[in-house]
Amino acid sequence: MNEFAKPTLDDVARAAGVSTATVSRCLNAPDRVIATTRERVMQAIETLGYTPDFGGRALASRRTNTVGAIIPTMDNAIFARGLQSFQEALSRFGKTLLVASSGYSPAREREQMEVMASRGVDGLLLIGSARPEASVEFLRRRGIPFLGAWNLGGEDGYFVGFDNRAAAAGLTEKVLAKGHRRLAMIAGITEMNDRAADRMEGVRAAAERAGIPADELPVIEAAYTFDEGAKAFGNLMALAPRPTAVLCGNDVLAVGAMQKARELGLRVPEDVSITGFDDIDLAGVVDPKLTTVRVPHNRMGEAAAEMLIRLINKEQVERRIEIPTAIVERGTLGPPTPDPAT
Amino acid sequence: MNEFAKPTLDDVARAAGVSTATVSRCLNAPDRVIATTRERVMQAIETLGYTPDFGGRALASRRTNTVGAIIPTMDNAIFARGLQSFQEALSRFGKTLLVASSGYSPAREREQMEVMASRGVDGLLLIGSARPEASVEFLRRRGIPFLGAWNLGGEDGYFVGFDNRAAAAGLTEKVLAKGHRRLAMIAGITEMNDRAADRMEGVRAAAERAGIPADELPVIEAAYTFDEGAKAFGNLMALAPRPTAVLCGNDVLAVGAMQKARELGLRVPEDVSITGFDDIDLAGVVDPKLTTVRVPHNRMGEAAAEMLIRLINKEQVERRIEIPTAIVERGTLGPPTPDPAT
């Protein structure tokens, strides 16, 4: 090799004393190479200043070894845990994850799909199923495999998620079983958010089954921030009669509600019960710890990675993988205290 | 236009009754087009099924209108707020942000740089300055403008951040001023993390100035998780004499420490003071609320976007933009209680 020539895969293989296939594997699926070999190869790459030509490789294999994810938000770590597992599983397949966040805007999600498509991704993870048909069509026409996570979707498409509606109904039944009749809900913004809409429907359905009609169950939709949760909770506490249990569309709203309860001098759960959804780290940090729905973030992330890899490889896959949720009973749900005024 | 022909920019311009330049602007810098025009153009794009050819455009302008960020983690929303502001500011310049997370691994960060480079990004945001010189060289050779955020870096490169060392020293002085002499620290893992290392140095320097030598200030390094913070706090509380104030390298560690204190039956701040760093949302959620260092996430994200756009446009920029931090005194720092044993 000439001093000024760009080092090639062959040069690296020769320097490391391995085959070019092994060098490739070190770059594409490092976990499939034993550590000592990988180190020798990586050292040769470093010493020679070899730069893998991803562009060229992509052209050759039509693969970029890049996977995209478009999530609604990076804030409050709602999607962080699942995405982390998704990324770790992908990296075992030699894929790198690029993430964009849409701010819950379908228009921005669409723009990001276009960027992902033009930058070249082998596949795409989206959250849920609520989006304009045109966005779905865009990906189909481009032949980019994609799936929805965090929910189970409708007739079409591939999903790895859980049943938001059933989980919310199950938690509501638990609240009703404690003796609560005056329920209220702080839901996420349901427009173009199937997870938020399903959770709201689940709460309503369980309440109706218990003989509480929808018009006796006040629901406020609020963006997933502490402040919005607190504000909505304040409004619900001003109702007469006051709700004895407030079901929240996620943990962030629930923690906002708890903060407001403290401000109002209301004890949780003695004066009012509050429940969350997601079981993010936050749920274990507040006092009392939050009763919530545990979402299987790790298993979902891993299963999503495996499904997407299969879609990319054009292998057979099931259309939906449902992962069970669980109710985590901690300290914020108790029986209602009889109203001193009645 | 033939029914089967791919619609072009000209077709869109004609359908919307605007110039092709206006259509381009709608796609590249939508905020620079008035809303009614933009809507008309977007409708024409939708109706015709026009797909902007980013690849071709990138070749023409050598720009992809994509910016990358490689952050250490998406968990606990440590970087989420700043990144959100970064993204919002970028979108005003018509740029889309793609994010990768390296898990605090320099090797993975390097891989992600290679992916970003091969996918085509106009510029790159990195966190801090601690990384192998080879990684920096890789970006320089490829001509990809980049900057470091969350810290101020060394001699070389561009930075938008704050003085982690001075901020940690300032908070330590505040702790000392309350009368504490038996300090301890739970630091982040300092290897290849300049922010964690600077915070540790700041605490040590302030303590030394107050006559407390380094060997009388126990420091445990811990990964940024609640569990690791709790474990380290437990170990510090087992020391004799027991520290009366524990300075934590970030809010996540501090909240983990608070949880452990509760478990141990220690009141905060009566029995032990605890401080954090970052002022993420979490800090306002725990009880008592956390005394911490407020990091100017929004201003930093915006300033980083502006600097990176200037670097991409080859405009003149300052090498460093320092954004001031502030100490937020809440409920976890109080005076030390005299030790009953002494």
Side-chain angles (χ1 to χ4, degrees), chain B residues 24 78 89 99 111 125 243 252 258 334:
Chain B
S24 270
I78 300 173
V99 181
E111 285 168 26
L125 175 105
V252 175
M258 287 177 71

Side-chain angles (χ1 to χ4, degrees), chain B residues 70-121:
Chain B
I70 305 177
I71 61 173
T73 178
M74 293 188 189
D75 220 353
N76 295 120
I78 300 173
F79 300 100
R81 187 60 45 85
L83 217 55
Q84 183 65 29
S85 298
F86 181 65
Q87 167 164 322
E88 282 165 17
L90 284 177
S91 87
R92 288 198 293 275
F93 294 99
K95 306 261 182 206
T96 296
L97 177 65
L98 298 180
V99 181
S101 76
S102 67
Y104 289 94
S105 151
R108 187 173 279 192
E109 186 192 58
R110 169 62 183 269
E111 285 168 26
Q112 291 170 331
M113 284 177 181
E114 291 174 7
V115 169
M116 295 272 188
S118 62
R119 297 294 99 228
V121 291

Side-chain angles (χ1 to χ4, degrees), chain A residues 6 27 30 42 45-46 49-55 58 63-66 71 73-77 80-81 83-84 87-88 91 96-103 108 110-112 114-116 118-121 134-135 138 141-142 226 255 259 262 281-282 284-289, chain B residues 6 27 30 42 45-46 49-55 58 63-66 71 73-77 80-81 83-84 87-88 91 96-103 108 110-112 114-116 118-121 134-135 138 141-142 226 255 259 262 281-282 284-289:
Chain A
K6 214 177 151 192
L27 294 165
M42 291 328 247
I45 286 173
E46 205 56 43
Y50 172 69
T51 305
D53 185 352
F54 288 85
R63 294 278 166 77
T64 64
N65 280 322
T66 309
I71 61 174
T73 177
M74 292 189 191
D75 221 353
N76 295 122
R81 187 59 45 84
L83 217 56
Q84 182 67 28
Q87 166 163 322
E88 281 165 17
S91 86
T96 297
L97 177 66
L98 297 180
V99 181
S101 77
S102 67
R108 185 172 281 192
R110 169 61 183 270
E111 284 168 26
Q112 291 170 332
E114 291 173 8
V115 169
M116 295 271 188
S118 61
R119 296 296 97 229
V121 290
S135 298
F138 171 82
R141 255 184 246 152
R142 293 259 172 157
F226 295 129
V255 170
Q259 288 181 293
R262 195 191 303 166
D281 283 343
L282 196 62
V285 160
V286 285
D287 184 25
K289 293 182 182 183
Chain B
K6 214 176 151 192
L27 294 166
M42 290 329 246
I45 285 173
E46 205 55 42
Y50 172 70
T51 304
D53 185 352
F54 287 86
R63 292 280 166 79
T64 65
N65 280 321
T66 308
I71 61 173
T73 178
M74 293 188 189
D75 220 353
N76 295 120
R81 187 60 45 85
L83 217 55
Q84 183 65 29
Q87 167 164 322
E88 282 165 17
S91 87
T96 296
L97 177 65
L98 298 180
V99 181
S101 76
S102 67
R108 187 173 279 192
R110 169 62 183 269
E111 285 168 26
Q112 291 170 331
E114 291 174 7
V115 169
M116 295 272 188
S118 62
R119 297 294 99 228
V121 291
S135 298
F138 171 82
R141 257 185 245 151
R142 292 258 172 156
F226 295 130
V255 170
Q259 288 181 292
R262 196 191 303 164
D281 283 343
L282 196 63
V285 161
V286 285
D287 183 24
K289 294 184 182 182

